């Protein structure tokens, strides 16, 4: 039987408990103060980001308005540079707001499109000496949209400054985003709701850039006339490509992407592998094996030959290798189609070769399937000698060939391709437009023992 605590023991215990209570209260008060400080700092950070967004859109609006009335290519270029810069700042500000790219989705898309379109306008104006009629109409409509957006943001900022509204913190936004309507819409309550719900109508932008409307309806050149396969037919195709029985493939599923396809799984040497074939035509779209690769026994030349043999066996003829990179004994080789004496870089296939035994462990054919077709008018208007005269005198030309290269808007330009070297032995690729004789593009080659990358 325990003896009762002495009076001194009880006092000591109560003292310890009181001290512990005081310490816990101190910790709680300290944490509360830290939380208040964090919220204050966060709120100030969000307010600063929103102020930056408003300021950038205001400046973008002013530059677009001026752009409607300028006539010289130099002034158009200067204003387009300003528009692009403000669009970049606006995008950064949106990224600093709590889930800004979700709750300000249309605003983020608008500033990204305007910035990119401004870059394209600057180039076309320099080439043409000014706007085309369609470009001027687009600038007018973008200016009107920017003016409306600028006014909405200014009004919202005024409400934030006078306390009528508050910018949401991350927790509040997460709570709202976790409760979606049946249609996938976000529930009301966002400070940005009025801006997004009344977003101005934008013009249809058709230009040479990644946000061009024509890219959304682009068809794969190789697949447009092909029949659509069922899952079972695609499984047979995939098995035939692999030299397996259809029953060896499992997990068939539809995959929605730029190219609709069916994906399947299979085992090879105890390792999980996957293959996908297009729904139209049943073409090989991708192949992947993640098996561990042993010590390197092949040379790069031997691996390239293995990849070429694979492509030929699967119907990809007239392919030429360009650059490669060795990563963990996986040699990734970029192949492009060749038509006559022209290398067609849009028709790209990537092949990964295991350097221990030459097995093909990865394939990507999307670029080829999207772009490959028989081209006409691949004859240059500018001679190789005249094109070479446009290459900088600081570079020595090592080789030349005709090449079809893609633009940002996924159109194609016929160029003379010159591989060059500077005085330090560093290599570059210079592209001279074979129709106009103007510089089209320049790439820096980063070369080391693992392969070549381009910048």
């Amino acid at each position: 039987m325990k003896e009762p605590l002495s009076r001194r023991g009880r006092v000591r215990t109560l003292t310890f408990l009181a001290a512990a209570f005081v310490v816990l209260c101190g910790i709680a008060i300290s944490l509360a103060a830290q939380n208040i400080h964090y919220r204050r700092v966060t709120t100030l950070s969000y307010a600063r980001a929103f102020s930056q967004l408003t300021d950038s859109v205001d400046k973008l609006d002013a530059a677009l308005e001026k752009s409607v009335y300028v006539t010289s290519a130099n002034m158009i270029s200067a204003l387009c540079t300003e528009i692009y810069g403000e669009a970049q700042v606006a995008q950064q500000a949106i990224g600093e707001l709590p889930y800004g790219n979700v709750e300000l989705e249309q605003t983020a898309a608008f500033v990204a499109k305007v910035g990119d379109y401004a870059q394209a306008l600057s180039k076309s104006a320099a080439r043409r000496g000014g706007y085309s009629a369609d470009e001027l109409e687009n600038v007018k409509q973008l200016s009107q949209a920017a003016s409306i957006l600028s006014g909405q943001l200014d009004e919202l900022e005024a409400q934030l400054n006078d306390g009528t509204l508050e910018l949401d913190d991350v927790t509040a936004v997460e709570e709202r985003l976790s409760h979606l309507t049946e249609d996938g819409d976000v529930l009301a309550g966002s400070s940005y709701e009025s801006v997004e719900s009344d977003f101005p109508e934008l013009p249809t932008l058709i230009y040479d850039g990644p946000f061009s409307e024509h890219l959304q309806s682009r068809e794969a050149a190789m697949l447009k006339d092909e029949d659509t396969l069922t899952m079972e037919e695609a499984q047979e195709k995939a098995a035939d490509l692999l030299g397996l029985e259809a029953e060896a493939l499992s997990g068939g599923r539809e995959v929605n992407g730029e190219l609709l396809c069916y994906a399947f799984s299979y085992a090879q040497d105890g390792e999980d592998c996957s293959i996908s074939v297009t729904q139209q035509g049943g073409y090989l779209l991708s192949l992947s094996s993640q098996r561990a690769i042993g010590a390197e026994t092949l040379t790069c030349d031997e691996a390239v030959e293995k990849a070429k043999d694979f492509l030929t066996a699967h119907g990809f003829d007239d392919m030429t290798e360009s650059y490669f990179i060795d990563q963990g004994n996986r040699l990734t080789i970029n192949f492009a189609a060749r038509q006559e004496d022209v290398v067609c870089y849009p028709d790209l296939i990537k092949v990964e070769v295991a350097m221990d035994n030459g097995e093909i462990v990865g394939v990507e054919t999307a670029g080829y399937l999207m772009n490959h077709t028989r081209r006409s008018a691949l004859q240059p208007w500018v001679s190789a000698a005249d094109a070479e005269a446009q290459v900088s005198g600081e570079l020595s030309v090592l080789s030349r060939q005709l090449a079809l290269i893609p633009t940002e808007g996924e159109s194609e330009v016929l160029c003379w391709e010159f591989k060059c070297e500077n005085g330090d032995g560093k290599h570059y690729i210079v592209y001279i437009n074979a129709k106009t004789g103007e510089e089209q593009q320049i790439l820096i080659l980063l070369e080391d023992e693992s392969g070549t990358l381009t910048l």
Side-chain angles (χ1 to χ4, degrees):
M1 183 174 178
K2 293 184 179 179
E3 296 184 6
L5 287 173
S6 65
R7 183 173 180 277
R8 180 178 295 177
R10 289 197 298 274
V11 170
R12 186 178 297 155
T13 300
L14 290 173
T15 301
F16 286 155
L17 289 173
F21 178 74
V22 170
V23 170
L24 289 174
C25 286
I27 293 173
I29 292 171
S30 176
L31 289 174
Q34 289 179 21
N35 189 45
I36 291 171
H37 175 71
Y38 168 76
R39 284 181 174 275
R40 185 179 296 119
V41 170
T42 302
T43 300
L44 288 173
S45 176
Y46 293 156
R48 186 164 50 250
F50 189 82
S51 178
Q52 182 65 74
L53 170 62
T54 303
D55 183 60
S56 294
V57 172
D58 285 346
K59 291 177 180 176
L60 187 151
D61 171 34
L64 276 169
E65 185 175 347
K66 296 174 192 176
S67 297
V68 174
Y69 304 106
V70 297
T71 57
S72 71
N74 287 341
M75 195 62 186
I76 290 173
S77 179
L79 285 170
C80 283
T81 300
E82 183 180 345
I83 292 167
Y84 177 77
E86 294 302 336
Q88 293 295 105
V89 174
Q91 285 180 275
Q92 182 177 355
I94 291 171
E96 293 174 6
L97 292 169
Y99 293 90
N101 286 306
V102 175
E103 300 221 315
L104 282 169
E105 181 180 9
Q106 293 185 85
T107 304
F110 173 74
V111 295
K113 287 180 180 179
V114 168
D116 188 71
Y117 189 59
Q119 274 195 313
L121 278 182
S122 180
K123 294 175 184 177
S124 65
R127 187 169 61 249
R128 261 194 222 105
Y131 296 131
S132 68
D134 287 342
E135 287 171 344
L136 179 57
E137 184 59 33
N138 286 339
V139 171
K140 288 179 180 178
Q141 292 185 51
L142 288 174
S143 176
Q144 292 168 4
S147 180
I148 295 171
L149 177 61
S150 175
Q152 290 173 331
L153 291 175
D154 287 341
E155 183 179 347
L156 180 55
E157 185 177 34
Q159 292 176 317
L160 293 170
N161 289 336
D162 66 20
T164 307
L165 286 176
E166 290 185 4
L167 285 174
D168 303 310
D169 62 19
V170 174
T171 303
V173 178
E174 285 181 336
E175 175 67 19
R176 185 164 55 254
L177 293 179
S178 67
H179 296 87
L180 302 179
T181 68
E182 290 183 1
D183 297 327
D185 297 325
V186 179
L187 293 176
S190 169
S191 302
Y192 316 126
E193 185 179 2
S194 60
V195 176
E196 290 287 289
S197 61
D198 299 328
F199 204 86
E201 186 176 351
L202 301 181
T204 299
L205 301 178
I206 305 294
Y207 69 106
D208 190 16
F211 295 105
S212 178
E213 302 291 339
H214 79 278
L215 297 179
Q216 298 180 11
S217 58
R218 190 164 172 258
E219 287 186 284
M222 283 282 290
L223 309 182
K224 59 178 61 176
D225 297 322
E226 297 286 348
D227 294 331
T228 300
L229 276 61
T230 64
M231 178 82 74
E232 292 72 22
E233 290 170 334
Q235 186 167 344
E236 291 283 352
K237 279 271 190 180
D240 186 55
L241 288 167
L242 295 167
L244 300 174
E245 296 295 327
E247 293 74 22
L249 275 59
S250 61
R253 67 187 189 282
E254 290 188 37
V255 179
N256 294 321
E258 185 178 32
L259 292 173
L260 301 179
C261 68
Y262 296 110
F264 304 93
S265 301
Y266 65 99
Q268 189 171 42
D269 299 327
E271 299 291 338
D272 291 333
C273 304
S274 64
I275 185 173
S276 63
V277 296
T278 58
Q279 289 189 19
Q280 285 182 273
Y283 287 93
L284 173 64
L285 180 60
S286 68
L287 178 70
S288 177
S289 169
Q290 298 303 317
R291 76 168 177 85
I293 297 175
E296 191 171 304
T297 63
L298 274 68
T299 66
C300 286
D301 287 342
E302 290 170 335
V304 169
E305 286 304 313
K306 293 281 188 182
K308 281 184 175 178
D309 291 343
F310 174 87
L311 292 176
T312 300
H314 290 82
F316 299 105
D317 300 316
D318 297 323
M319 305 298 293
T320 184
E321 71 276 12
S322 52
Y323 305 114
F324 63 83
I325 185 167
D326 190 350
Q327 296 175 305
N329 291 345
R330 285 174 175 257
L331 189 72
T332 302
I333 310 158
N334 291 316
F335 287 89
R338 181 181 286 276
Q339 181 178 323
E340 299 162 2
D341 294 326
V342 181
V343 178
C344 302
Y345 286 115
D347 303 3
L348 179 69
I349 297 179
K350 293 184 179 181
V351 181
E352 291 184 8
V353 182
M355 297 297 281
D356 56 355
N357 63 5
E359 179 189 357
I360 305 301
V361 291
V363 180
E364 292 178 20
T365 68
Y368 184 94
L369 297 179
M370 284 297 299
N371 299 297
H372 185 64
T373 187
R374 184 73 184 175
R375 278 92 172 179
S376 58
L378 288 182
Q379 295 301 314
W381 294 2
V382 177
S383 70
D386 288 342
E388 187 172 336
Q390 301 303 312
V391 176
S392 168
E394 299 294 316
L395 297 172
S396 300
V397 173
L398 304 177
S399 64
R400 66 187 58 78
Q401 65 178 352
L402 279 171
L404 200 65
I405 66 172
T407 66
E408 289 185 345
E410 298 188 22
S411 58
E412 301 175 344
V413 181
L414 182 65
C415 294
W416 283 104
E417 177 188 84
F418 297 97
K419 183 174 182 180
C420 305
E421 184 178 74
N422 69 4
D424 297 326
K426 192 171 182 178
H427 292 153
Y428 302 81
I429 299 291
V430 178
Y431 291 99
I432 305 297
N433 192 304
K435 302 293 185 183
T436 66
E438 298 175 348
E439 287 181 313
Q440 184 74 32
Q441 191 177 58
I442 183 169
L443 301 176
I444 302 171
L445 298 185
L446 302 181
E447 300 166 305
D448 59 24
E449 64 279 357
S450 67
T452 302
L453 293 175
T454 60
L455 290 178

